[in-house]
Amino acid sequence: MNNPLLETSIQSLKRIHQGKVRDIYDIDANTMLLVSTDRLSAFDVILPTGIANKGAMLTQMANFWFEQLKDVVPNHLTGIEPTSVVTDPAEKAQLANRSVVVKKLKALPIEAIVRGYLVGSGWKEYKAKGTVCDIPLPAGLQEASKLPEPLFTPSSKAAVGEHDENISLAQCAALIGDEMAAQVAKAAIALYTQAAEYALTRGIIIADTKFEFGLDENGVLHVMDEVLTPDSSRFWPAESYAVGKNPPSYDKQYVRDWLEASGWDKTPPAPALPVDVASKTSEKYMEAFERLTGQPLTLK
């Protein structure tokens, strides 16, 4: 197994942002380079332990979905090969199978979350109030019940180390305008619906996911960042699904469960993961990729 890549160093380009997972470099006025590292965050804290091959898997899975869904909403990919903008051999090696050249977009200040099943924070709220993000739902639903229809439940975008917070549809409209809020909700639900239908044919339920959107210079809405990966989505194996219990998942819930049991108080620094937990997490990500795409992961 490859050693995890926790940070990139591309000296030939200016790094303009370092997120929880991605290092972003400036190319020119219109484009930038996104490199997915093997960093993993949980409870909005970056862990000291990387997950081998995670960055390659995230990039290739997102690219798979961007291709699948390109007729639903435009996306940020340019089609430019990363190795055409970085020529140094040592720097190129850091980009292999884990980087994309993307359009610069004006990011909207919300996360577009779509929930198809009642789980997680939504289930907790439903038990208390009969709602999810203050949206009323029918009585009698159980944990992991499929919702009558997918729900758009936006959240605020937090800085690294801070927590995203659910916001109401009215708050979303106040941030980005009524018309744009309606457009984002429609786009997010359309993306989720088409992806969820496809995933079921591959034996995977997409319980929920989050999208990020941005506008190009003409104000056209694009989906950006990453889409439908285990970092941004809750994937359940269909064969293990049963209403009334939270199914095992391909996302980082496995790591969250270990961290919860470790007694960590969810403030930095996070504890290092045991070798077996990191290895099992990598296996879960790889299995999700192969099941969804039908392809082996491309590694160096």
Side-chain angles (χ1 to χ4, degrees), residues 49-66:
T49 312
I51 305 300
N53 303 320
K54 177 175 173 278
M57 192 285 306
L58 290 181
T59 299
Q60 292 172 51
M61 184 175 277
N63 288 350
F64 168 81
W65 284 116
F66 281 133

Side-chain angles (χ1 to χ4, degrees), residues 168-249:
S168 67
L169 298 178
Q171 287 172 304
C172 176
L175 281 170
I176 62 176
D178 291 343
E179 192 175 321
M180 185 56 63
Q183 192 179 345
V184 166
K186 183 179 178 182
I189 287 172
L191 288 166
Y192 170 81
T193 300
Q194 186 162 317
E197 288 172 358
Y198 167 81
L200 273 178
T201 70
R202 308 293 306 182
I204 286 184
I205 292 169
I206 304 176
D208 51 42
T209 193
K210 74 173 180 182
F211 299 106
E212 294 198 39
F213 291 96
L215 306 176
D216 69 8
E217 66 277 9
N218 299 313
V220 175
L221 190 70
H222 287 59
V223 63
M224 53 177 271
D225 194 44
E226 64 166 334
V227 287
L228 296 152
T229 74
D231 266 13
S232 65
S233 316
R234 208 182 303 252
F235 292 146
W236 293 336
E239 69 272 13
S240 305
Y241 172 70
V243 175
K245 63 178 185 178
N246 192 350
S249 63

Side-chain angles (χ1 to χ4, degrees), residues 138-149:
L141 297 178
Q142 299 180 61
E143 184 172 21
S145 288
K146 185 175 183 181
L147 296 171
E149 58 186 36

Side-chain angles (χ1 to χ4, degrees), residues 21-39:
V21 174
R22 285 165 190 78
D23 292 349
I24 303 176
Y25 294 88
D26 193 44
I27 297 174
D28 57 32
N30 301 311
T31 58
M32 56 191 185
L33 177 71
L34 260 60
V35 191
S36 293
T37 70
D38 296 327
R39 295 192 295 267

Side-chain angles (χ1 to χ4, degrees), residues 120-177:
S121 62
W123 168 238
K124 288 177 186 172
E125 182 184 327
Y126 177 79
K127 283 193 294 183
K129 302 195 296 181
T131 59
V132 170
C133 296
D134 294 327
I135 300 168
L137 289 175
L141 297 178
Q142 299 180 61
E143 184 172 21
S145 288
K146 185 175 183 181
L147 296 171
E149 58 186 36
L151 294 182
F152 170 65
T153 60
S155 76
S156 63
K157 254 189 202 174
V160 172
E162 297 176 10
H163 297 277
D164 296 340
E165 292 187 5
N166 293 335
I167 57 175
S168 67
L169 298 178
Q171 287 172 304
C172 176
L175 281 170
I176 62 176

Side-chain angles (χ1 to χ4, degrees), residues 259-280:
L259 289 167
E260 292 265 22
S262 75
W264 175 50
D265 64 3
K266 300 178 187 174
T267 59
L273 298 178
V275 171
D276 62 321
V277 173
S279 178
K280 183 73 184 274

Side-chain angles (χ1 to χ4, degrees), residues 23-124:
D23 292 349
I24 303 176
Y25 294 88
D26 193 44
I27 297 174
D28 57 32
N30 301 311
T31 58
M32 56 191 185
L33 177 71
L34 260 60
V35 191
S36 293
T37 70
D38 296 327
R39 295 192 295 267
L40 180 71
S41 71
F43 306 111
D44 296 305
V45 178
I46 297 169
L47 306 185
T49 312
I51 305 300
N53 303 320
K54 177 175 173 278
M57 192 285 306
L58 290 181
T59 299
Q60 292 172 51
M61 184 175 277
N63 288 350
F64 168 81
W65 284 116
F66 281 133
E67 177 62 26
Q68 286 272 325
L69 301 169
K70 64 185 180 185
D71 295 332
V72 180
V73 184
N75 63 63
H76 70 169
L77 296 184
T78 62
I80 298 168
E81 276 295 322
T83 50
S84 71
V85 296
V86 175
T87 55
D88 179 84
E91 294 183 349
K92 276 186 177 181
Q94 298 174 61
L95 306 183
N97 306 307
R98 60 167 72 238
S99 58
V100 282
V101 176
V102 301
K103 302 171 192 172
K104 285 183 177 174
L105 300 169
K106 182 183 179 185
L108 297 179
I110 60 155
E111 305 269 7
I113 297 168
V114 182
R115 302 169 190 260
Y117 291 76
L118 190 56
V119 70
S121 62
W123 168 238
K124 288 177 186 172

